[in-house]
């Protein structure tokens, strides 16, 4: 699943291509994907109808992001919310020029493919939402308020890609959470978008064992975590994310941040700081790699 740096990289690379264009037509081949989020959703044909009528003829005003939700806002105020989940992909194929890919890697260059479930015809090209496993969703809202009613973002932590990541706020929020540091990272508590890769990298950089409880963290340790987040996430975005587990940038290239990984995917290998073998355990259901000596 792409983490925040991957989604932000995709957003940044797709933005210049689609903002300002008018959606000329919309085709929905898998009604489930526009009906709801969640694995137990069913097809809602009324939602498909409002998706198509609400978006056809609309001009794209902006491409923004809340956590890992990509938000495409129309000039009318209507919104398309895209979540790639495991295998979602956004592909823009201009009439002239190279195709722009983002998300899950392409299985074939043929477009549309059998996995192109939603197709937007724009002025100068076609935007495809492809998804092999179909956990992703593409939802329509008539306005921002309707989207807010459907998503409780009030408990979301701060966004480390927004350039306004507040130390005091984080120290206060994160320090009083119950449970383990790694689990709270994965749940987006205190800070959004750190999945398995960046949670482990941040813990290593800050010298914090991932199974520590939040309440055991000192003020100094909390500040170290902020410092590590502010170092790792912007660099990862700059490098286009990690492109482990099937992730491509919108321009079709792979993210380079994987070269910077110090612990992720390195269980049993020597720690880059102390040379001791890195330990790999299961934590919160995820493989977690850390150094027994460097992380206390
Ligand atoms: Zn070490």
């Amino acid at each position: 699943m792409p983490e925040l740096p991957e989604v932000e990289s995709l957003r940044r690379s797709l933005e210049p291509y689609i903002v300002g264009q008018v959606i000329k037509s919309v085709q929905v081949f898998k009604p489930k994907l526009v009906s709801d989020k969640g694995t137990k959703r069913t097809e809602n044909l009324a939602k498909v109808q409002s998706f198509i009528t609400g978006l056809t003829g609309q001009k794209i005003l902006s491409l923004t992001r809340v956590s890992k939700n990509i938000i495409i806002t129309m000039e009318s105020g209507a919104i398309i919310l895209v979540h790639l989940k495991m295998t979602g992909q956004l592909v823009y194929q201009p009439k002239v020029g190279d195709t722009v890919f983002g998300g899950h890697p392409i299985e074939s260059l043929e477009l549309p493919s059998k996995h192109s479930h939603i197709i937007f015809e724009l002025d100068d090209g076609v935007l495809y939402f492809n998804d092999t496993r179909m956990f992703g969703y593409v939802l329509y809202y008539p306005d921002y308020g309707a989207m807010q009613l459907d998503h409780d973002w009030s408990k979301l932590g701060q966004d480390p890609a927004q350039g306004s990541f507040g130390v005091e706020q984080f120290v206060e929020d994160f320090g009083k959470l119950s449970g383990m540091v790694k689990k709270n990272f994965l749940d987006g508590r205190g800070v959004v978008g750190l999945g398995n890769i960046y949670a482990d990298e941040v813990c290593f950089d800050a010298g914090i064992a991932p199974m520590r409880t939040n309440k055991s963290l000192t003020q100094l340790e909390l500040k170290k975590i902020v410092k590590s987040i502010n170092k790792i996430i912007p660099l990862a975005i700059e490098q286009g994310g990690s492109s482990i587990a099937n992730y491509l940038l919108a321009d079709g290239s792979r993210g380079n941040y994987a070269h910077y990984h110090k612990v992720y995917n390195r269980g049993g290998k020597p720690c880059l700081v102390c040379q001791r073998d890195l330990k790999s355990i299961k934590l919160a259901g995820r493989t977690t790699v850390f150094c027994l000596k460097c992380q206390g």
Side-chain angles (χ1 to χ4, degrees):
M1 187 181 290
E3 299 184 26
L4 186 134
E6 288 80 47
V7 177
E8 175 61 12
S9 299
L10 162 63
R11 187 199 70 73
R12 289 183 189 181
S13 20
L14 206 54
E15 187 177 37
Y17 289 92
I18 67 165
V19 167
Q21 293 209 52
V22 171
I23 299 175
K24 289 163 76 177
S25 72
V26 183
Q27 290 173 283
V28 177
F29 298 105
K30 281 282 183 291
K32 195 177 82 168
L33 299 184
V34 307
S35 296
D36 206 349
K37 44 195 190 294
T39 48
K40 290 188 177 133
R41 59 196 161 166
T42 50
E43 294 185 358
N44 181 334
L45 295 179
K47 290 239 173 123
V48 176
Q49 200 50 51
S50 52
F51 187 95
I52 293 170
T53 53
L55 295 170
T56 305
Q58 296 298 326
K59 188 175 184 181
I60 297 172
L61 180 73
S62 66
L63 190 61
T64 55
R65 179 185 58 72
V66 172
S67 188
K68 293 195 286 180
N69 303 282
I70 294 169
I71 296 166
I72 308 173
T73 305
M74 307 297 131
E75 226 166 47
S76 66
I79 283 169
I80 309 170
L81 181 150
V82 182
H83 201 304
L84 302 171
K85 295 302 239 185
M86 298 288 287
T87 56
Q89 179 186 50
L90 282 171
V91 179
Y92 177 64
Q93 189 174 45
K95 283 177 187 160
V96 181
D98 293 337
T99 301
V100 180
F101 298 92
H104 198 59
I106 33 165
E107 294 193 324
S108 85
L109 282 168
E110 204 176 304
L111 286 167
S113 78
K114 62 179 176 179
H115 302 298
S116 300
H117 305 308
I118 301 163
I119 300 178
F120 302 91
E121 193 200 343
L122 309 182
D123 292 326
D124 295 328
V126 183
L127 180 67
Y128 299 92
F129 179 76
N130 303 336
D131 196 346
T132 49
R133 296 181 66 186
M134 292 198 286
F135 293 123
Y137 44 85
V138 181
L139 303 175
Y140 164 78
Y141 299 100
D143 54 52
Y144 198 84
M147 178 175 70
Q148 279 184 308
L149 284 179
D150 201 26
H151 298 265
D152 182 12
W153 288 331
S154 62
K155 288 195 178 68
L156 277 186
Q158 298 187 78
D159 191 315
Q162 304 285 30
S164 57
F165 193 85
V167 181
E168 283 77 21
Q169 185 72 48
F170 181 84
V171 167
E172 195 190 318
D173 291 350
F174 203 68
K176 66 183 177 203
L177 294 172
S178 56
M180 288 182 290
V181 169
K182 166 108 184 219
K183 173 85 166 60
N184 284 317
F185 275 154
L186 295 178
D187 290 344
R189 311 284 304 277
V191 53
V192 296
L194 301 194
N196 208 36
I197 300 174
Y198 300 105
D200 280 7
E201 293 299 321
V202 166
C203 283
F204 179 77
D205 192 74
I208 308 290
M211 69 291 281
R212 285 275 299 278
T213 60
N214 286 44
K215 284 177 180 163
S216 75
L217 298 171
T218 64
Q219 296 275 312
L220 186 68
E221 286 174 325
L222 287 160
K223 283 178 184 164
K224 268 192 192 166
I225 291 175
V226 175
K227 213 172 157 192
S228 299
I229 290 170
N230 281 336
K231 178 169 113 188
I232 288 170
I233 300 301
L235 179 63
I237 294 168
E238 202 180 289
Q239 295 295 323
S242 292
S243 70
I244 300 290
N246 308 331
Y247 186 79
L248 279 186
L249 279 177
D251 65 2
S253 65
R254 290 179 178 276
N256 288 321
Y257 190 74
H259 301 309
Y260 295 85
H261 292 167
K262 293 196 169 76
V263 282
Y264 179 77
N265 217 14
R266 296 196 66 246
K269 293 186 176 142
C271 169
L272 296 174
V273 173
C274 74
Q275 308 306 316
R276 187 177 174 152
D277 285 354
L278 292 170
K279 189 117 180 109
S280 179
I281 58 167
K282 280 264 184 224
L283 206 66
R286 307 295 301 272
T287 300
T288 299
V289 182
F290 67 103
C291 178
L292 279 167
K293 194 173 169 203
C294 298
Q295 293 171 260

